[in-house]
Amino acid sequence: MFVRTFGWSFGVSAVALVAAFLYGGPQALFLALVLGVLEVSLSFDNAVVNARILERMNPFWQKMFLTVGIVIAVFGMRVLFPLLIVGLTAKLNPVEAVQLALAKGPINEPGTYAYVLHHAHPQIAAFGGIFLLMIFLDFFFEEREIKWLHWFEIPLAKVGRMNGASLVVGLFALALIGLLSGSELQGPVLMSGIFGMVTYFLVQGLGELFDTDVSGEIDADDIPAMAGGTHGKGPGKAVLVAGKAAFMLFLYLEVIDASFSFDGVIGAFAITSDPIIIALGLGLIGAMFVRSLTVYLVRQGTLDEFEYLDHGAHWAIGALAVILLITIGVEVSEIVTGLIGVLFIGAAFLASIRRNKQRASEPEPAHTT
């Protein structure tokens, strides 16, 4: 199972490291390896969330995530996205943006690719932070039978009974970061945050346009519930979606995946500004291993066996959202960003093990005839 699932990742990583060595020698090989490790450490919580959504899809759409999805992750987010941001920020056409990227240059030198992208960070952080915050709020504002951190999750579920609770909290957070970002950044930060919120509700709302459930089992507008793992016929049984509903779930998954990658893309420029090395390290090595880890979690049924992992992953999402919003005004180390997700997942995993042991030690209820 392990070799079959991770075989492609090891193979692609080997090719990427060879390409990095041929491109820039031992230094480029080392940087690509460091970036790959960085991406995996930052995205472990991403793999858990991806796995919960992916297990709701039929085999065809799972393959789509691993083929088309990896192309979007590698070339869309690790190559085209930085070029797009630099082009828009510096008012450059695509050819000029590519030329600027290939020219390299340090992050503290005005006019360089790394410098322009670094200074676009507040807008990127506002978009990704608000989008991830809405995911966190919608998950914990929903009443759930299973709760991990009861002392906090029960009050959140009570707040969620209010209509539009996530929207109210999201708008309050957006207004707060707008006030704290300063007069120069206030406009761009607020607009980016609004786009992040609109994107979240758009992905959900589009489900109504695809509400064509021929099977009568599940609709595309149930995407948030499916993503949270609340749909199924009986305990532990998931309804596999197909067709237009699966397509909407695929789009939802790609937007979440992209939002998780923001911190890795920005953090990579603290290590190198070379777009080729970033694409090899973050994309081919890191993104491939994250996808393999996602598939491994699905095939092993880990999320059902360790029931608090969902909660741990969404607490990590909330923490990442807060960190992204904080980084608009304060620099936060990528080590902190990566470790906080791992800590939440690790704590949830250990809590799940304890819960399973408690269940195993409990006496079975007596059967009466």
Side-chain angles (χ1 to χ4, degrees):
M1 170 67 76
F2 181 87
V3 174
R4 186 177 65 181
T5 304
F6 287 90
W8 273 102
S9 295
F10 283 111
V12 170
S13 296
V15 172
L17 291 174
V18 170
F21 180 79
L22 295 176
Y23 173 73
Q27 183 181 9
L29 184 150
F30 175 74
L31 291 175
L33 183 61
V34 169
L35 288 173
V37 174
L38 171 70
E39 177 71 2
V40 174
S41 65
L42 288 176
S43 300
F44 190 82
D45 48 355
N46 187 9
V48 175
V49 175
N50 285 354
R52 177 55 79 191
I53 302 174
L54 195 66
E55 70 179 7
R56 303 291 174 183
M57 298 180 179
N58 66 11
F60 171 79
W61 284 100
Q62 290 183 2
K63 290 179 181 178
M64 288 291 288
F65 174 72
L66 297 173
T67 52
V68 176
I70 194 66
V71 173
I72 296 173
V74 174
F75 296 101
M77 287 307 302
R78 275 73 178 184
V79 178
L80 297 182
F81 172 73
L83 289 172
L84 176 63
I85 294 298
V86 169
L88 292 175
T89 304
K91 296 181 173 60
L92 301 174
N93 62 46
V95 175
E96 291 172 334
V98 172
Q99 291 174 342
L100 184 65
L102 294 177
K104 306 178 185 180
I107 199 170
N108 58 354
E109 182 180 325
T112 62
Y113 179 76
Y115 180 89
V116 173
L117 189 61
H118 177 73
H119 280 261
H121 174 73
Q123 296 95 303
I124 298 171
F127 179 94
I130 290 296
F131 183 87
L132 292 176
L133 180 63
M134 298 306 295
I135 294 174
F136 168 82
L137 293 174
D138 272 351
F139 183 86
F140 287 108
F141 279 174
E142 181 181 342
E143 186 63 45
R144 295 179 179 278
E145 181 181 351
I146 298 173
K147 292 180 175 63
W148 176 34
L149 304 178
H150 290 74
W151 56 275
F152 204 25
E153 292 178 15
I154 290 176
L156 285 177
K158 290 181 179 179
V159 173
R161 295 173 188 170
M162 180 181 71
N163 288 334
S166 60
L167 179 60
V168 171
V169 176
L171 288 173
F172 177 80
L174 181 56
L176 183 62
I177 64 170
L179 289 174
L180 298 178
S181 60
S183 57
E184 185 178 345
L185 291 174
Q186 192 173 80
V189 164
L190 286 174
M191 286 302 299
S192 298
I194 290 172
F195 278 126
M197 189 174 293
V198 168
T199 301
Y200 177 76
F201 285 112
L202 182 63
V203 172
Q204 289 195 29
L206 280 175
E208 297 179 5
L209 298 178
F210 292 88
D211 189 8
T212 55
D213 179 24
V214 292
S215 67
E217 293 180 343
I218 198 165
D219 292 335
D221 56 359
D222 290 322
I223 283 174
M226 290 189 292
T230 60
H231 265 280
K233 291 190 171 184
K237 294 182 181 179
V239 177
L240 298 182
V241 297
K244 294 179 180 178
F247 174 69
M248 290 309 304
L249 201 57
F250 174 79
L251 291 183
Y252 184 77
L253 177 56
E254 287 302 320
V255 176
I256 291 177
D257 194 49
S259 296
F260 268 105
S261 69
F262 287 151
D263 58 332
V265 172
I266 299 301
F269 283 87
I271 299 172
T272 179
S273 60
D274 192 314
I276 304 298
I277 297 177
I278 290 175
L280 292 172
L282 286 187
L284 290 180
I285 299 176
M288 279 296 297
F289 267 100
V290 170
R291 269 159 173 70
S292 293
L293 181 58
T294 299
V295 174
Y296 186 78
L297 292 174
V298 172
R299 291 176 177 172
Q300 291 291 99
T302 305
L303 298 182
D304 292 327
E305 182 180 354
F306 304 101
E307 58 186 19
Y308 293 142
L309 280 182
D310 264 346
H311 296 70
H314 281 84
W315 277 112
I317 287 176
L320 179 56
V322 172
I323 288 173
L324 279 172
L325 297 178
I326 289 175
T327 58
I328 293 174
V330 180
E331 188 171 342
V332 178
S333 171
E334 288 76 30
I335 296 176
V336 174
T337 306
L339 282 180
I340 198 165
V342 173
L343 287 175
F344 272 116
I345 296 294
F349 179 72
L350 293 176
S352 299
I353 292 177
R354 287 196 299 269
R355 174 62 175 156
N356 291 342
K357 287 181 178 179
Q358 288 174 357
R359 282 182 173 176
S361 63
E362 292 174 356
E364 295 184 6
H367 294 282
T368 59
T369 57

